[in-house]
Coordinates of all heavy atoms in Angstrom, one line a residue:
M1 N 0.8 -1.2 0.0 CA 0.0 0.0 0.0 C 0.9 1.2 0.0 O 1.9 1.3 0.7 CB -0.9 0.0 1.2 CG -1.7 1.3 1.4 SD -2.9 1.3 2.7 CE -1.8 1.5 4.1
G2 N 0.5 2.2 -0.8 CA 1.3 3.5 -0.8 C 1.0 4.2 0.5 O -0.2 4.3 0.9
T3 N 2.0 4.8 1.1 CA 1.8 5.4 2.4 C 2.2 6.8 2.5 O 2.0 7.5 3.5 CB 2.6 4.6 3.5 OG1 3.9 4.6 3.1 CG2 2.1 3.2 3.6
S4 N 2.7 7.4 1.4 CA 3.2 8.8 1.5 C 3.1 9.5 0.1 O 3.0 8.8 -0.9 CB 4.6 8.9 2.0 OG 5.5 8.4 1.1
L5 N 3.0 10.8 0.2 CA 2.9 11.6 -1.0 C 4.0 12.7 -0.9 O 4.2 13.2 0.2 CB 1.6 12.3 -1.1 CG 1.4 13.3 -2.2 CD1 1.3 12.6 -3.5 CD2 0.1 14.1 -1.9
S6 N 4.7 13.0 -2.0 CA 5.7 14.0 -2.0 C 5.4 15.0 -3.1 O 4.9 14.7 -4.1 CB 7.1 13.4 -2.2 OG 7.5 12.5 -1.2
F7 N 5.8 16.3 -2.8 CA 5.6 17.4 -3.8 C 7.0 18.0 -3.9 O 7.6 18.3 -2.9 CB 4.6 18.4 -3.3 CG 4.4 19.6 -4.2 CD1 3.4 19.6 -5.1 CD2 5.2 20.7 -4.1 CE1 3.2 20.6 -6.0 CE2 5.0 21.8 -4.9 CZ 4.0 21.7 -5.9
F8 N 7.4 18.2 -5.2 CA 8.7 18.8 -5.5 C 8.5 20.1 -6.3 O 7.8 20.0 -7.4 CB 9.7 17.9 -6.2 CG 10.1 16.7 -5.3 CD1 9.3 15.6 -5.3 CD2 11.2 16.8 -4.6 CE1 9.7 14.5 -4.5 CE2 11.6 15.7 -3.8 CZ 10.8 14.5 -3.8
H9 N 9.0 21.2 -5.9 CA 9.0 22.4 -6.7 C 10.4 22.6 -7.2 O 11.3 22.9 -6.4 CB 8.5 23.6 -5.9 CG 8.7 24.9 -6.5 ND1 8.3 25.2 -7.8 CD2 9.2 26.1 -6.1 CE1 8.6 26.4 -8.1 NE2 9.1 27.0 -7.1
H10 N 10.7 22.4 -8.5 CA 12.0 22.6 -9.1 C 12.1 24.1 -9.6 O 11.1 24.6 -10.2 CB 12.2 21.7 -10.3 CG 12.1 20.2 -10.0 ND1 13.2 19.5 -9.8 CD2 11.0 19.4 -9.8 CE1 12.8 18.2 -9.5 NE2 11.5 18.2 -9.4
Y11 N 13.2 24.7 -9.4 CA 13.3 26.1 -9.8 C 14.8 26.4 -10.1 O 15.7 25.7 -9.6 CB 12.8 27.1 -8.8 CG 13.6 27.0 -7.5 CD1 14.7 27.9 -7.2 CD2 13.2 26.2 -6.4 CE1 15.4 27.9 -6.1 CE2 13.9 26.1 -5.3 CZ 15.0 27.0 -5.1 OH 15.7 26.9 -3.9
G12 N 15.0 27.4 -11.0 CA 16.4 27.8 -11.3 C 17.1 26.9 -12.3 O 16.7 25.8 -12.5
C13 N 18.1 27.5 -12.9 CA 18.9 26.7 -13.9 C 19.7 25.5 -13.3 O 20.0 24.6 -14.0 CB 19.9 27.7 -14.5 SG 19.1 29.0 -15.5
S14 N 19.9 25.6 -12.0 CA 20.6 24.5 -11.3 C 19.7 23.4 -10.8 O 20.1 22.5 -10.1 CB 21.5 25.0 -10.2 OG 20.6 25.6 -9.2
N15 N 18.4 23.5 -11.2 CA 17.4 22.5 -10.7 C 17.3 22.4 -9.2 O 17.2 21.3 -8.6 CB 17.6 21.1 -11.4 CG 16.4 20.2 -11.2 OD1 15.3 20.7 -11.1 ND2 16.7 18.9 -11.1
S16 N 17.4 23.6 -8.5 CA 17.2 23.6 -7.1 C 15.7 23.1 -6.8 O 14.9 23.2 -7.6 CB 17.4 25.0 -6.6 OG 18.8 25.4 -6.8
Q17 N 15.5 22.7 -5.5 CA 14.2 22.2 -5.2 C 13.8 22.6 -3.8 O 14.6 22.7 -2.9 CB 14.2 20.7 -5.2 CG 14.5 20.1 -6.6 CD 14.6 18.6 -6.5 OE1 14.2 17.9 -5.5 NE2 15.3 18.0 -7.5
T18 N 12.5 22.8 -3.6 CA 11.9 22.8 -2.3 C 10.9 21.6 -2.4 O 10.4 21.3 -3.4 CB 11.2 24.1 -1.9 OG1 10.2 24.4 -2.9 CG2 12.1 25.2 -1.8
W19 N 10.6 21.0 -1.2 CA 9.7 19.8 -1.3 C 9.0 19.6 0.1 O 9.4 20.2 1.1 CB 10.5 18.6 -1.7 CG 11.5 18.2 -0.7 CD1 12.8 18.7 -0.6 CD2 11.4 17.2 0.3 NE1 13.4 18.1 0.5 CE2 12.6 17.2 1.0 CE3 10.4 16.3 0.7 CZ2 12.9 16.3 2.1 CZ3 10.6 15.5 1.8 CH2 11.8 15.5 2.4
A20 N 8.0 18.8 0.0 CA 7.3 18.4 1.2 C 6.8 17.0 1.0 O 6.6 16.5 -0.1 CB 6.1 19.3 1.4
S21 N 6.6 16.3 2.1 CA 6.1 14.9 2.1 C 5.2 14.8 3.2 O 5.4 15.4 4.3 CB 7.3 13.9 2.2 OG 6.8 12.6 2.0
R22 N 4.2 13.9 3.1 CA 3.3 13.7 4.2 C 2.7 12.3 4.0 O 2.6 11.7 2.9 CB 2.1 14.7 4.2 CG 1.3 14.6 2.9 CD 0.0 15.4 3.1 NE -1.0 14.5 3.8 CZ -2.2 14.8 3.9 NH1 -2.7 15.9 3.4 NH2 -3.0 13.9 4.5
P23 N 2.3 11.7 5.2 CA 1.6 10.4 5.1 C 0.3 10.5 4.4 O -0.5 11.5 4.6 CB 1.4 10.0 6.6 CG 2.3 10.9 7.4 CD 2.4 12.2 6.5
L24 N 0.0 9.6 3.5 CA -1.3 9.6 2.8 C -1.5 8.2 2.2 O -0.6 7.6 1.6 CB -1.2 10.6 1.7 CG -2.5 10.8 0.9 CD1 -3.6 11.5 1.8 CD2 -2.3 11.7 -0.3
D25 N -2.7 7.7 2.3 CA -3.0 6.4 1.6 C -3.3 6.7 0.2 O -4.4 7.0 -0.2 CB -4.2 5.8 2.3 CG -4.6 4.4 1.6 OD1 -3.9 4.0 0.7 OD2 -5.6 3.8 2.1
V26 N -2.2 6.5 -0.6 CA -2.3 6.8 -2.1 C -3.0 5.7 -2.9 O -3.0 5.8 -4.1 CB -1.0 7.3 -2.7 CG1 -0.5 8.5 -2.0 CG2 0.1 6.2 -2.5
T27 N -3.4 4.7 -2.2 CA -4.2 3.6 -2.9 C -5.7 4.1 -3.1 O -6.4 3.5 -3.8 CB -4.2 2.3 -2.2 OG1 -4.9 2.4 -0.9 CG2 -2.8 1.8 -2.0
Q28 N -6.1 5.2 -2.4 CA -7.4 5.8 -2.5 C -7.3 7.0 -3.4 O -6.2 7.7 -3.6 CB -7.9 6.2 -1.1 CG -8.0 5.0 -0.2 CD -8.9 3.9 -0.6 OE1 -10.0 4.2 -1.0 NE2 -8.4 2.7 -0.6
F29 N -8.4 7.4 -4.0 CA -8.5 8.6 -4.8 C -8.5 9.9 -3.9 O -9.1 9.9 -2.8 CB -9.7 8.7 -5.7 CG -9.5 7.9 -7.0 CD1 -10.0 6.6 -7.0 CD2 -8.9 8.4 -8.1 CE1 -9.8 5.8 -8.2 CE2 -8.7 7.7 -9.2 CZ -9.2 6.4 -9.3
H30 N -7.8 10.9 -4.3 CA -7.7 12.2 -3.6 C -7.8 13.3 -4.6 O -7.5 13.1 -5.8 CB -6.4 12.3 -2.8 CG -6.2 11.3 -1.8 ND1 -6.8 11.4 -0.5 CD2 -5.6 10.1 -1.7 CE1 -6.5 10.3 0.2 NE2 -5.8 9.5 -0.5
N31 N -8.1 14.5 -4.1 CA -8.1 15.7 -4.9 C -6.9 16.5 -4.6 O -6.6 16.8 -3.4 CB -9.4 16.6 -4.6 CG -10.6 15.9 -5.1 OD1 -10.7 15.5 -6.2 ND2 -11.6 15.9 -4.2
Y32 N -6.1 16.8 -5.6 CA -4.9 17.5 -5.5 C -5.0 18.9 -6.2 O -5.6 19.0 -7.3 CB -3.7 16.8 -6.1 CG -3.5 15.4 -5.6 CD1 -4.1 14.3 -6.2 CD2 -2.7 15.1 -4.5 CE1 -4.0 13.0 -5.7 CE2 -2.6 13.9 -4.0 CZ -3.2 12.8 -4.6 OH -3.0 11.5 -4.1
A33 N -4.4 19.9 -5.6 CA -4.5 21.2 -6.3 C -3.1 21.9 -6.0 O -2.5 21.8 -5.0 CB -5.6 22.1 -5.7
V34 N -2.7 22.7 -7.0 CA -1.6 23.6 -6.9 C -2.0 25.0 -7.3 O -2.5 25.1 -8.4 CB -0.4 23.1 -7.7 CG1 0.8 24.1 -7.6 CG2 0.1 21.7 -7.3
D35 N -1.8 25.9 -6.4 CA -2.2 27.3 -6.7 C -0.9 28.1 -6.9 O -0.1 28.3 -5.9 CB -3.0 27.9 -5.6 CG -3.5 29.3 -5.8 OD1 -3.4 29.8 -7.0 OD2 -3.9 29.9 -4.9
W36 N -0.6 28.6 -8.1 CA 0.5 29.4 -8.4 C 0.1 30.8 -8.6 O -0.7 31.1 -9.5 CB 1.3 28.9 -9.6 CG 2.4 29.8 -10.1 CD1 3.3 30.5 -9.3 CD2 2.7 30.0 -11.4 NE1 4.2 31.1 -10.1 CE2 3.8 30.9 -11.4 CE3 2.2 29.6 -12.7 CZ2 4.4 31.4 -12.6 CZ3 2.8 30.1 -13.8 CH2 3.9 31.0 -13.8
S37 N 0.6 31.7 -7.8 CA 0.2 33.1 -7.9 C 1.5 33.9 -7.8 O 2.6 33.4 -7.5 CB -0.7 33.6 -6.8 OG -0.1 33.6 -5.5
P38 N 1.5 35.2 -8.0 CA 2.7 36.0 -7.9 C 3.3 36.0 -6.5 O 4.5 36.3 -6.4 CB 2.2 37.5 -8.2 CG 1.0 37.3 -9.1 CD 0.4 36.0 -8.6
T39 N 2.6 35.6 -5.5 CA 3.1 35.6 -4.1 C 3.7 34.2 -3.7 O 4.2 34.1 -2.7 CB 2.0 36.0 -3.1 OG1 0.9 35.1 -3.2 CG2 1.6 37.4 -3.4
G40 N 3.5 33.2 -4.5 CA 4.0 31.9 -4.2 C 3.3 30.7 -4.8 O 2.3 30.9 -5.6
I41 N 3.7 29.5 -4.4 CA 3.1 28.3 -4.8 C 2.6 27.5 -3.6 O 3.3 27.4 -2.6 CB 4.1 27.4 -5.6 CG1 4.5 28.2 -6.8 CG2 3.5 26.1 -5.9 CD1 5.7 27.5 -7.6
V42 N 1.3 27.1 -3.6 CA 0.7 26.4 -2.5 C 0.1 25.1 -3.0 O -0.6 25.1 -4.0 CB -0.4 27.3 -1.8 CG1 -1.0 26.6 -0.6 CG2 0.1 28.7 -1.4
G43 N 0.4 24.0 -2.3 CA -0.2 22.7 -2.7 C -1.2 22.3 -1.7 O -1.1 22.6 -0.5
Y44 N -2.3 21.6 -2.2 CA -3.4 21.1 -1.3 C -3.7 19.7 -1.6 O -3.5 19.2 -2.8 CB -4.7 21.9 -1.6 CG -4.6 23.4 -1.4 CD1 -4.1 24.2 -2.4 CD2 -4.9 23.9 -0.2 CE1 -4.0 25.6 -2.2 CE2 -4.9 25.3 0.0 CZ -4.4 26.1 -1.0 OH -4.3 27.5 -0.9
V45 N -4.1 18.9 -0.6 CA -4.6 17.6 -0.8 C -6.0 17.5 -0.1 O -6.1 17.9 1.1 CB -3.7 16.5 -0.2 CG1 -4.3 15.1 -0.3 CG2 -2.4 16.5 -0.9
D46 N -7.0 17.2 -0.9 CA -8.4 17.1 -0.4 C -8.8 18.4 0.3 O -9.4 18.4 1.4 CB -8.5 15.9 0.6 CG -8.3 14.6 -0.1 OD1 -8.6 14.5 -1.3 OD2 -7.8 13.7 0.5
G47 N -8.3 19.6 -0.3 CA -8.7 20.9 0.2 C -7.9 21.4 1.4 O -8.1 22.5 1.9
V48 N -6.9 20.6 1.9 CA -6.1 21.0 3.0 C -4.7 21.4 2.5 O -4.0 20.6 1.8 CB -6.0 19.9 4.0 CG1 -5.1 20.2 5.2 CG2 -7.4 19.5 4.5
E49 N -4.2 22.5 2.9 CA -2.9 23.0 2.5 C -1.8 22.1 3.1 O -1.9 21.8 4.3 CB -2.6 24.4 2.9 CG -1.3 24.9 2.5 CD -1.0 26.3 3.0 OE1 -1.9 27.2 2.9 OE2 0.1 26.6 3.4
W50 N -0.8 21.7 2.3 CA 0.3 20.9 2.9 C 1.6 21.3 2.3 O 2.7 20.7 2.7 CB 0.0 19.4 2.7 CG 0.1 18.9 1.3 CD1 -0.8 19.1 0.3 CD2 1.2 18.2 0.8 NE1 -0.3 18.5 -0.8 CE2 0.9 18.0 -0.6 CE3 2.4 17.8 1.2 CZ2 1.8 17.3 -1.4 CZ3 3.3 17.1 0.4 CH2 2.9 16.8 -0.9
F51 N 1.7 22.2 1.4 CA 2.9 22.7 0.8 C 2.8 24.2 0.6 O 1.8 24.6 0.0 CB 3.3 22.0 -0.5 CG 4.5 22.5 -1.1 CD1 5.8 22.1 -0.8 CD2 4.4 23.5 -2.1 CE1 6.9 22.6 -1.4 CE2 5.5 24.0 -2.7 CZ 6.8 23.6 -2.4
R52 N 3.8 25.0 0.9 CA 3.8 26.4 0.6 C 5.3 26.8 0.4 O 6.1 26.6 1.2 CB 3.2 27.2 1.7 CG 3.2 28.7 1.5 CD 2.5 29.4 2.6 NE 1.1 29.2 2.6 CZ 0.2 30.0 2.0 NH1 0.6 31.1 1.3 NH2 -1.1 29.7 2.0
D53 N 5.5 27.6 -0.7 CA 6.8 28.2 -0.9 C 6.5 29.6 -1.4 O 6.0 29.8 -2.5 CB 7.6 27.4 -2.0 CG 9.0 28.0 -2.2 OD1 9.3 29.1 -1.8 OD2 9.8 27.2 -2.8
T54 N 6.9 30.6 -0.5 CA 6.6 32.0 -0.9 C 7.9 32.8 -1.0 O 7.9 34.0 -1.1 CB 5.7 32.6 0.2 OG1 6.4 32.5 1.5 CG2 4.3 32.0 0.2
D55 N 9.0 32.1 -1.1 CA 10.3 32.7 -1.3 C 10.4 33.3 -2.7 O 10.3 32.5 -3.7 CB 11.5 31.7 -1.1 CG 12.8 32.4 -1.2 OD1 13.0 33.4 -1.9 OD2 13.8 31.8 -0.6
P56 N 10.5 34.6 -2.9 CA 10.5 35.2 -4.2 C 11.6 34.7 -5.1 O 11.4 34.6 -6.4 CB 10.7 36.7 -4.0 CG 10.2 36.9 -2.6 CD 10.6 35.6 -1.8
A57 N 12.7 34.3 -4.6 CA 13.8 33.7 -5.4 C 13.4 32.4 -6.0 O 14.1 31.9 -7.0 CB 15.0 33.6 -4.6
H58 N 12.4 31.7 -5.5 CA 12.0 30.4 -6.0 C 10.9 30.5 -7.0 O 10.5 29.4 -7.6 CB 11.5 29.5 -4.9 CG 12.5 29.2 -3.8 ND1 12.3 28.5 -2.7 CD2 13.9 29.5 -3.8 CE1 13.4 28.5 -1.9 NE2 14.3 29.1 -2.6
Q59 N 10.3 31.6 -7.3 CA 9.2 31.8 -8.2 C 9.7 31.9 -9.6 O 10.7 32.6 -9.9 CB 8.3 33.0 -7.8 CG 7.9 32.9 -6.3 CD 7.3 31.6 -5.9 OE1 6.5 31.0 -6.6 NE2 7.8 31.0 -4.8
P60 N 9.0 31.3 -10.5 CA 9.5 31.3 -11.9 C 9.2 32.7 -12.5 O 8.2 33.3 -12.2 CB 8.6 30.2 -12.6 CG 7.4 30.1 -11.7 CD 7.9 30.4 -10.3
P61 N 10.1 33.1 -13.4 CA 9.9 34.4 -14.1 C 8.9 34.4 -15.2 O 8.5 35.4 -15.7 CB 11.3 34.7 -14.6 CG 11.9 33.3 -14.9 CD 11.3 32.4 -13.8
G62 N 8.5 33.2 -15.6 CA 7.5 33.1 -16.7 C 6.6 31.9 -16.5 O 6.4 31.4 -15.3
S63 N 6.0 31.4 -17.5 CA 5.0 30.3 -17.4 C 5.7 29.0 -16.9 O 6.9 28.8 -17.1 CB 4.3 30.1 -18.8 OG 5.3 29.7 -19.7
M64 N 4.9 28.2 -16.4 CA 5.4 26.9 -15.9 C 4.6 25.8 -16.7 O 3.6 26.1 -17.4 CB 5.1 26.7 -14.4 CG 5.9 27.7 -13.5 SD 5.9 27.2 -11.8 CE 4.2 26.8 -11.4
H65 N 5.0 24.6 -16.5 CA 4.2 23.4 -17.1 C 4.0 22.4 -16.0 O 4.7 22.3 -15.0 CB 5.0 22.8 -18.2 CG 6.3 22.1 -17.8 ND1 7.5 22.8 -17.8 CD2 6.5 20.8 -17.5 CE1 8.4 22.0 -17.4 NE2 7.9 20.8 -17.2
Q66 N 2.9 21.7 -16.2 CA 2.5 20.7 -15.2 C 3.1 19.4 -15.5 O 3.2 19.0 -16.7 CB 1.0 20.6 -15.3 CG 0.4 19.6 -14.3 CD -1.1 19.5 -14.4 OE1 -1.7 19.9 -15.5 NE2 -1.8 19.1 -13.4
T67 N 3.6 18.7 -14.5 CA 4.1 17.3 -14.7 C 3.6 16.4 -13.6 O 3.6 16.7 -12.4 CB 5.7 17.3 -14.5 OG1 6.2 18.2 -15.5 CG2 6.3 16.0 -14.7
L68 N 3.0 15.3 -14.0 CA 2.6 14.2 -13.1 C 3.6 13.1 -13.2 O 3.9 12.6 -14.3 CB 1.2 13.7 -13.4 CG 0.1 14.7 -13.4 CD1 -1.2 14.0 -13.8 CD2 -0.1 15.2 -12.0
Q69 N 4.3 12.7 -12.1 CA 5.4 11.8 -12.2 C 5.2 10.8 -11.1 O 5.0 11.1 -10.0 CB 6.7 12.6 -12.0 CG 7.9 11.7 -12.2 CD 9.1 12.6 -12.2 OE1 9.1 13.7 -12.7 NE2 10.2 12.0 -11.7
L70 N 5.3 9.5 -11.5 CA 5.2 8.4 -10.6 C 6.6 7.9 -10.3 O 7.2 7.3 -11.1 CB 4.3 7.3 -11.1 CG 4.2 6.0 -10.3 CD1 3.6 6.3 -8.9 CD2 3.4 4.9 -11.0
D71 N 7.1 8.2 -9.1 CA 8.4 7.6 -8.6 C 8.1 6.7 -7.5 O 7.5 7.1 -6.5 CB 9.3 8.8 -8.2 CG 9.8 9.6 -9.3 OD1 9.8 9.2 -10.4 OD2 10.2 10.8 -9.0
W72 N 8.4 5.5 -7.6 CA 8.2 4.5 -6.6 C 9.4 3.6 -6.5 O 9.6 2.8 -7.4 CB 6.9 3.7 -6.9 CG 6.5 2.8 -5.8 CD1 6.1 3.2 -4.5 CD2 6.4 1.4 -5.8 NE1 5.7 2.1 -3.8 CE2 5.9 1.0 -4.6 CE3 6.6 0.5 -6.8 CZ2 5.7 -0.3 -4.3 CZ3 6.4 -0.9 -6.5 CH2 5.9 -1.2 -5.3
F73 N 10.1 3.6 -5.4 CA 11.3 2.8 -5.2 C 11.2 2.1 -3.9 O 11.8 2.5 -2.9 CB 12.5 3.8 -5.2 CG 12.6 4.7 -6.4 CD1 12.5 6.1 -6.3 CD2 12.7 4.2 -7.7 CE1 12.5 6.9 -7.3 CE2 12.8 5.0 -8.8 CZ 12.7 6.4 -8.6
P74 N 10.5 1.0 -3.9 CA 10.2 0.3 -2.6 C 11.5 -0.3 -2.0 O 11.5 -0.5 -0.8 CB 9.2 -0.8 -3.0 CG 9.5 -1.0 -4.5 CD 9.8 0.3 -5.0
D75 N 12.5 -0.7 -2.8 CA 13.7 -1.2 -2.3 C 14.9 -0.5 -2.8 O 16.0 -1.0 -3.0 CB 13.8 -2.7 -2.7 CG 13.8 -2.9 -4.2 OD1 13.7 -1.9 -5.0 OD2 13.8 -4.1 -4.6
S76 N 14.8 0.8 -3.0 CA 15.8 1.7 -3.4 C 16.3 1.5 -4.8 O 17.4 1.9 -5.2 CB 17.0 1.7 -2.5 OG 16.6 2.0 -1.2
T77 N 15.5 0.8 -5.6 CA 15.8 0.6 -7.1 C 14.7 1.1 -7.9 O 13.6 1.3 -7.4 CB 16.1 -0.9 -7.4 OG1 14.8 -1.6 -7.3 CG2 17.1 -1.5 -6.5
A78 N 14.9 1.4 -9.2 CA 13.9 1.9 -10.0 C 13.0 0.7 -10.6 O 12.1 1.0 -11.3 CB 14.5 2.6 -11.2
D79 N 13.3 -0.5 -10.3 CA 12.5 -1.6 -10.7 C 11.4 -1.9 -9.7 O 11.6 -2.0 -8.5 CB 13.4 -2.9 -10.9 CG 14.5 -2.7 -11.9 OD1 14.2 -2.0 -12.9 OD2 15.6 -3.3 -11.7
G80 N 10.2 -2.2 -10.3 CA 9.1 -2.5 -9.4 C 7.8 -2.0 -10.1 O 7.8 -1.2 -11.0
V81 N 6.7 -2.6 -9.7 CA 5.5 -2.3 -10.3 C 4.9 -1.0 -9.7 O 4.9 -0.9 -8.4 CB 4.5 -3.4 -10.2 CG1 3.1 -3.1 -10.8 CG2 5.0 -4.7 -10.9
G82 N 4.5 -0.1 -10.5 CA 3.8 1.1 -9.9 C 2.7 1.5 -10.8 O 2.6 1.2 -12.0
E83 N 1.7 2.2 -10.3 CA 0.5 2.6 -11.1 C 0.0 3.9 -10.6 O 0.0 4.2 -9.4 CB -0.6 1.5 -10.9 CG -1.8 1.8 -11.7 CD -2.8 0.7 -11.5 OE1 -2.5 -0.5 -11.7 OE2 -4.0 1.0 -11.1
M84 N -0.4 4.8 -11.5 CA -1.0 6.1 -11.2 C -2.3 6.2 -12.0 O -2.2 6.0 -13.3 CB -0.1 7.2 -11.6 CG -0.7 8.6 -11.3 SD 0.3 10.0 -11.9 CE 1.8 9.8 -11.0
R85 N -3.4 6.4 -11.4 CA -4.6 6.6 -12.1 C -5.1 8.0 -11.9 O -5.2 8.5 -10.8 CB -5.7 5.6 -11.5 CG -5.4 4.2 -11.7 CD -6.5 3.3 -11.2 NE -6.1 1.9 -11.4 CZ -7.0 1.0 -11.2 NH1 -8.2 1.2 -10.8 NH2 -6.6 -0.3 -11.4
V86 N -5.3 8.7 -13.0 CA -5.8 10.1 -13.0 C -7.1 10.2 -13.7 O -7.3 9.8 -14.8 CB -4.7 11.0 -13.7 CG1 -5.2 12.4 -13.8 CG2 -3.3 10.8 -13.1
D87 N -8.1 10.7 -12.9 CA -9.4 10.8 -13.5 C -9.5 12.0 -14.4 O -10.1 12.0 -15.5 CB -10.4 10.9 -12.3 CG -11.9 10.8 -12.8 OD1 -12.1 10.2 -13.8 OD2 -12.7 11.5 -12.2
W88 N -9.0 13.2 -14.0 CA -9.0 14.4 -14.8 C -8.0 15.4 -14.3 O -7.6 15.4 -13.1 CB -10.4 15.0 -14.9 CG -11.0 15.3 -13.5 CD1 -11.8 14.5 -12.8 CD2 -10.9 16.6 -12.8 NE1 -12.2 15.2 -11.6 CE2 -11.6 16.4 -11.6 CE3 -10.3 17.8 -13.0 CZ2 -11.7 17.4 -10.7 CZ3 -10.4 18.8 -12.1 CH2 -11.1 18.6 -10.9
I89 N -7.7 16.3 -15.2 CA -6.8 17.4 -14.8 C -7.4 18.7 -15.4 O -7.9 18.7 -16.5 CB -5.4 17.2 -15.4 CG1 -4.7 16.0 -14.9 CG2 -4.5 18.4 -15.2 CD1 -3.4 15.6 -15.5
W90 N -7.3 19.7 -14.6 CA -7.9 21.0 -15.0 C -6.8 22.1 -14.7 O -6.3 22.2 -13.6 CB -9.1 21.3 -14.2 CG -9.9 22.6 -14.6 CD1 -9.7 23.3 -15.7 CD2 -10.8 23.3 -13.7 NE1 -10.6 24.4 -15.6 CE2 -11.2 24.4 -14.4 CE3 -11.3 23.0 -12.5 CZ2 -12.1 25.3 -13.9 CZ3 -12.2 23.9 -12.0 CH2 -12.6 25.1 -12.7
V91 N -6.5 22.8 -15.8 CA -5.5 23.9 -15.7 C -6.2 25.1 -16.1 O -6.8 25.1 -17.2 CB -4.2 23.6 -16.5 CG1 -3.3 24.8 -16.4 CG2 -3.6 22.3 -16.1
Y92 N -6.1 26.2 -15.4 CA -6.7 27.4 -15.8 C -5.9 28.6 -15.3 O -5.2 28.5 -14.4 CB -8.2 27.5 -15.3 CG -8.3 27.6 -13.8 CD1 -8.4 28.9 -13.2 CD2 -8.3 26.5 -13.0 CE1 -8.5 29.0 -11.8 CE2 -8.4 26.6 -11.6 CZ -8.5 27.8 -11.0 OH -8.7 27.9 -9.7
A93 N -6.2 29.7 -16.0 CA -5.5 31.0 -15.6 C -6.5 31.8 -14.8 O -7.7 31.9 -15.1 CB -5.1 31.8 -16.8
A94 N -6.0 32.4 -13.7 CA -6.9 33.3 -12.9 C -7.3 34.5 -13.7 O -6.5 35.0 -14.5 CB -6.2 33.7 -11.6
A95 N -8.5 35.0 -13.5 CA -9.0 36.1 -14.3 C -8.5 37.4 -13.7 O -8.1 37.5 -12.6 CB -10.5 36.1 -14.3

């Protein structure tokens, strides 16, 4: 059973990162949201905030792109069965 969720915010030419991880039963469906505004990036799971980066040096100077990535290394190797099911994705610009 999947027991945790991680969020990585990559920024800068050197691929610097801020990140957060939390316990979560990822075998169940959840609602995930990322709010990117001029003041920062905030991540939510099921409507509850669990990631925030408001450091101006970490904010992108232009548009970003969305990436869904399944990384699962149960025994510290890249071999193993993993599955990600996505019902829908919605991306929009604030008015």
